[in-house]
């Protein structure tokens, strides 16, 4: 068989230059066989992911939906109770408190993370020397285990001899009781979450590197200063990246768990336990694995899923009006 008889990618794609409404030309038997072969090969290559998704993601999601309709304590068989667990969510005061703590933490941490990450990315973008070193230095804290970050929080933000309060005292500022005062617990956790903003910095740096230079030069020729160029050219060109980070960080903030749990609710920790740090996923975890209320915890998980889905949908609607995507039609 010659090379000319083998249908290439262009032959397998439907033509785009035919008039609208005209049916696509039928494929020859050889082209149909080639298309089936390509699809079969693709399915073979992605089959490990498909199996992993079905076993470790799809099935647990479906089964947790079933458990949310049952009274299940792991030790005995599930007992179907209908929507009693969902009704119990509305009467448990700690569910409302945990949701409020989670919303406040996400509302504080997401904009703080985005603003500081953008500022650091801009500084790094303008740095010519040792840029690779600073990229690595910013990202390295992301490699720290979250449990270690939780322990580090107690060391740095200790109200009596923590490093943060020692620095504030050096400048004549009395430091608060970060780990015990309910007013300062969530701000302390927000500040500690900035330990891992390096990933956002690297993503934004890549977006800044992709801003077309000719647009910035044209704005400079038109007399736009640095601030005007940043607001009118750079920000719109990286708005899709900022939008992505807002969504990802919001979802992460709504699921915050490890650092706060390690610092305030870990095994044997009675000193720092504080309801101000009781995030929704922490309360879910305790219901499931400390109190063995698996049915109630599954209902909590589905409620969180719905809340995150609604928040993400609202962000998507707002993003359509504010986000610019390169290559989209102007009309």
């Amino acid at each position: 068989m010659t090379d000319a008889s083998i249908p290439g990618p262009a032959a397998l794609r439907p033509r785009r230059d035919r008039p609208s409404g005209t049916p696509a030309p039928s494929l020859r038997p050889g082209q149909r066989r080639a298309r089936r072969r390509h699809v079969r090969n693709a399915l073979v290559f992605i089959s490990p992911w498909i199996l992993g998704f079905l076993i470790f993601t799809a099935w647990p999601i479906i089964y947790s939906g079933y458990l949310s309709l049952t009274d299940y304590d792991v030790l005995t068989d599930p007992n179907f109770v209908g929507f009693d667990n969902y009704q119990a969510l509305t009467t448990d005061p700690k569910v409302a408190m945990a949701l409020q703590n989670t919303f406040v933490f996400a509302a504080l941490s997401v904009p703080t993370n985005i603003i500081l990450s953008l500022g650091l990315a801009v500084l790094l973008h303008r740095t010519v020397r040792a840029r690779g070193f600073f990229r690595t230095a910013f990202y390295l804290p992301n490699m720290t285990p979250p449990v270690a970050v939780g322990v580090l929080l107690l060391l740095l933000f200790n109200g009596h001899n923590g490093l943060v309060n020692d620095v504030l005292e050096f400048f004549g500022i009395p430091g608060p009781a970060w780990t015990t005062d309910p007013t300062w617990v969530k701000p302390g956790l927000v500040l500690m979450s900035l330990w891992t903003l390096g990933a956002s910095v690297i993503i934004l740096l890549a977006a800044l590197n992709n801003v077309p230079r000719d647009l910035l030069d044209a704005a400079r020729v038109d007399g736009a200063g640095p601030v005007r160029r940043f607001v009118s050219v750079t920000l719109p060109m990286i708005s899709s990246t900022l939008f992505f980070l807002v969504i990802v960080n919001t979802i992460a903030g709504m699921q915050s768990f490890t650092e706060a749990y390690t610092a305030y609710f870990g095994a044997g920790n009675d000193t720092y336990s504080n309801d101000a740090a009781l995030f929704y996923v922490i309360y879910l975890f305790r219901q499931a694995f400390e109190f063995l209320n698996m049915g109630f915890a599954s209902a909590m998980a589905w409620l969180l899923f719905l809340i995150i889905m609604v928040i993400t949908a609202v962000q998507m609607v707002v993003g359509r009006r504010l986000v610019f995507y390169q290559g989209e039609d102007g009309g």
Side-chain angles (χ1 to χ4, degrees), residues 215-282:
L215 294 180
L216 296 172
D217 293 338
R220 185 182 294 106
V221 171
D222 289 340
V227 176
R228 183 66 176 177
R229 290 197 302 271
F230 181 77
V231 173
S232 300
V233 178
T234 303
L235 274 182
M237 297 303 295
I238 67 172
S239 59
S240 59
T241 304
L242 289 171
F243 180 58
F244 165 77
L245 289 177
V246 167
I247 291 180
V248 170
N249 287 336
T250 300
I251 295 174
M254 294 297 296
Q255 299 181 81
S256 181
F257 170 75
T258 308
E259 293 87 346
Y261 182 82
T262 302
Y264 292 97
F265 301 97
N269 186 359
D270 297 326
T271 304
Y272 295 102
S273 295
N274 198 312
D275 283 342
L278 183 64
F279 293 152
Y280 190 84
V281 177
I282 293 177

Side-chain angles (χ1 to χ4, degrees), residues 103-317:
F103 284 136
V104 171
F105 174 80
L108 291 175
S109 65
V110 173
T112 304
N113 184 293
I114 297 297
I115 292 172
L116 290 180
S117 297
L118 181 59
L120 290 173
V122 170
L123 291 177
L124 192 57
H125 180 66
R126 296 183 178 181
T127 302
V128 178
R129 296 182 178 180
R131 181 181 295 182
F133 167 78
F134 286 111
R135 268 203 315 260
T136 304
F138 282 136
Y139 188 77
L140 274 179
N142 288 75
M143 308 302 293
T144 307
V147 174
V149 176
V151 176
L152 191 63
L153 183 148
L154 298 180
L155 297 177
L156 294 179
F157 288 86
N158 186 284
H160 299 289
N161 53 11
L163 179 61
V164 174
N165 279 2
D166 288 345
V167 174
L168 293 176
E169 185 179 356
F170 177 81
F171 290 100
I173 303 174
W178 298 95
T179 56
T180 55
D181 187 347
T183 305
W184 290 98
V185 165
K186 282 187 283 293
L189 288 168
V190 170
L191 292 176
M192 202 64 212
S193 70
L194 300 178
W195 178 267
T196 56
L197 59 74
S200 299
V201 174
I202 300 304
I203 293 173
L204 286 171
L205 178 62
L208 290 171
N209 289 333
N210 287 331
V211 175
R213 188 68 187 178
D214 54 349
L215 294 180
L216 296 172
D217 293 338
R220 185 182 294 106
V221 171
D222 289 340
V227 176
R228 183 66 176 177
R229 290 197 302 271
F230 181 77
V231 173
S232 300
V233 178
T234 303
L235 274 182
M237 297 303 295
I238 67 172
S239 59
S240 59
T241 304
L242 289 171
F243 180 58
F244 165 77
L245 289 177
V246 167
I247 291 180
V248 170
N249 287 336
T250 300
I251 295 174
M254 294 297 296
Q255 299 181 81
S256 181
F257 170 75
T258 308
E259 293 87 346
Y261 182 82
T262 302
Y264 292 97
F265 301 97
N269 186 359
D270 297 326
T271 304
Y272 295 102
S273 295
N274 198 312
D275 283 342
L278 183 64
F279 293 152
Y280 190 84
V281 177
I282 293 177
Y283 190 49
L284 188 158
F285 175 85
R286 301 187 74 183
Q287 285 289 339
F289 298 104
E290 292 183 17
F291 311 139
L292 298 183
N293 294 329
M294 284 292 180
F296 185 77
S298 297
M300 288 186 65
W302 274 90
L303 176 61
L304 180 63
F305 169 75
L306 293 176
I307 291 173
I308 292 177
M309 185 173 63
V310 170
I311 293 175
T312 305
V314 172
Q315 290 175 329
M316 294 294 291
V317 172

Side-chain angles (χ1 to χ4, degrees), residues 4-126:
S5 62
I6 300 176
L12 298 178
R13 290 196 301 265
R15 292 182 59 86
R16 298 181 180 271
D17 55 353
R18 62 178 183 273
S20 178
T22 304
S26 59
L27 298 176
R28 295 192 299 271
Q31 292 175 323
R32 287 196 293 269
R33 286 194 297 271
R35 171 170 290 185
R36 287 195 296 268
R37 184 172 64 252
H38 291 322
V39 172
R40 184 173 61 252
N41 292 341
L43 290 175
V44 170
F45 278 111
I46 67 174
S47 59
W49 179 88
I50 294 176
L51 290 175
F53 173 79
L54 292 176
I55 296 173
F56 299 108
T57 302
W59 170 243
I61 290 175
I62 295 172
Y63 192 64
S64 70
Y66 162 72
L67 289 181
S68 69
L69 304 175
T70 66
D71 180 15
Y72 181 47
D73 62 0
V74 181
L75 303 177
T76 58
D77 293 335
N79 179 34
F80 186 80
V81 294
F83 292 95
D84 288 356
N85 288 321
Y86 291 95
Q87 184 177 0
L89 292 177
T90 63
T91 59
D92 188 338
K94 285 203 170 185
V95 170
M97 181 179 62
L99 275 176
Q100 181 181 357
N101 290 338
T102 303
F103 284 136
V104 171
F105 174 80
L108 291 175
S109 65
V110 173
T112 304
N113 184 293
I114 297 297
I115 292 172
L116 290 180
S117 297
L118 181 59
L120 290 173
V122 170
L123 291 177
L124 192 57
H125 180 66
R126 296 183 178 181

